[in-house]
Amino acid sequence: MRRLTTAAAVLMVLTGAGTATAVAAPVPAAAEACASGWGSTTKSDPGAEHKPLKDIRTGAHECYDRVVFDLGGTPSRLGYHVGYVDAFHQDGSGDEIPVTGGAILQIYVSAPSYDPSTGRATYAGKAGRPLPGVDVTGYRTFRDTRFGASFEGQTQVAVGVRAKLPFRVQHSGDKLIVDVAHTW
């Protein structure tokens, strides 16, 4: 929608005779290519699977930064609840966990970080600590990551972002993907 609006923008310039002439407004190519229209409101899906979480990783892309939750197996419809919060509180204890950035994106995935049948950890996240193996240094949008908890079959993490920016959530096979745009 934003791309169409931007492409259709016209600047009316009055000529000396009092008539109007339409002149196309310049549109920066990068801004047009990165227009998202995703919005920043909470997004959720109850999902259908509750397999153990295997890994969380991030990636920096031209128009967005990405966090991927991997179940490491067969395709599944992973449930989630993703939205901005004023403060990040650990599930279970309610303790506040500091997160660096201008805004905090809280992500719940319907996947425990342990195998429910054995209780053995499948993901090495520790409460209040950065996500293991994830370094967001140099990212345009991400500033910090924190593990909250794995409680009652779901895992809670926070991503500190530079501002409350638009994001999308999508499924791909056995992965849940959250992209946060670099700009509006």
Side-chain angles (χ1 to χ4, degrees):
M1 182 68 178
R2 186 176 278 176
R3 185 178 299 163
L4 293 174
T5 304
T6 303
V10 175
L11 175 64
M12 299 302 287
V13 179
L14 291 177
T15 64
T19 60
T21 305
V23 178
V27 177
E32 183 177 318
C34 290
S36 70
W38 299 337
S40 61
T41 59
T42 299
K43 296 162 180 66
S44 62
D45 183 341
E49 299 285 336
H50 295 275
K51 296 178 183 174
L53 181 66
K54 300 293 182 192
D55 193 21
I56 301 173
R57 61 186 182 281
T58 60
H61 296 267
E62 182 179 345
C63 298
Y64 53 84
D65 289 347
R66 170 174 282 180
V67 59
V68 178
F69 297 84
D70 188 355
L71 299 183
T74 59
S76 126
R77 186 164 159 235
L78 183 60
Y80 61 86
H81 184 85
V82 183
Y84 286 103
V85 295
D86 294 329
F88 184 54
H89 294 274
Q90 181 186 19
D91 267 3
S93 72
D95 292 343
E96 184 172 346
I97 298 172
V99 181
T100 303
I104 301 168
L105 188 62
Q106 178 171 257
I107 305 169
Y108 286 100
V109 292
S110 298
S113 65
Y114 55 89
D115 182 334
S117 62
T118 64
R120 194 176 71 224
T122 59
Y123 179 72
K126 303 286 184 213
R129 307 288 303 155
L131 299 178
V134 172
D135 181 4
V136 295
T137 304
Y139 281 50
R140 284 186 57 193
T141 298
F142 292 170
R143 298 293 183 259
D144 193 10
T145 63
R146 296 290 160 170
F147 188 84
S150 193
F151 185 69
E152 295 184 351
Q154 67 181 5
T155 298
Q156 172 201 32
V157 302
V159 178
V161 297
R162 66 178 169 76
K164 190 175 179 181
L165 293 162
F167 67 93
R168 70 178 172 188
V169 182
Q170 51 191 347
H171 293 267
S172 179
D174 65 342
K175 295 164 185 53
L176 181 77
I177 301 165
V178 180
D179 296 329
V180 183
H182 294 313
T183 63
W184 275 98

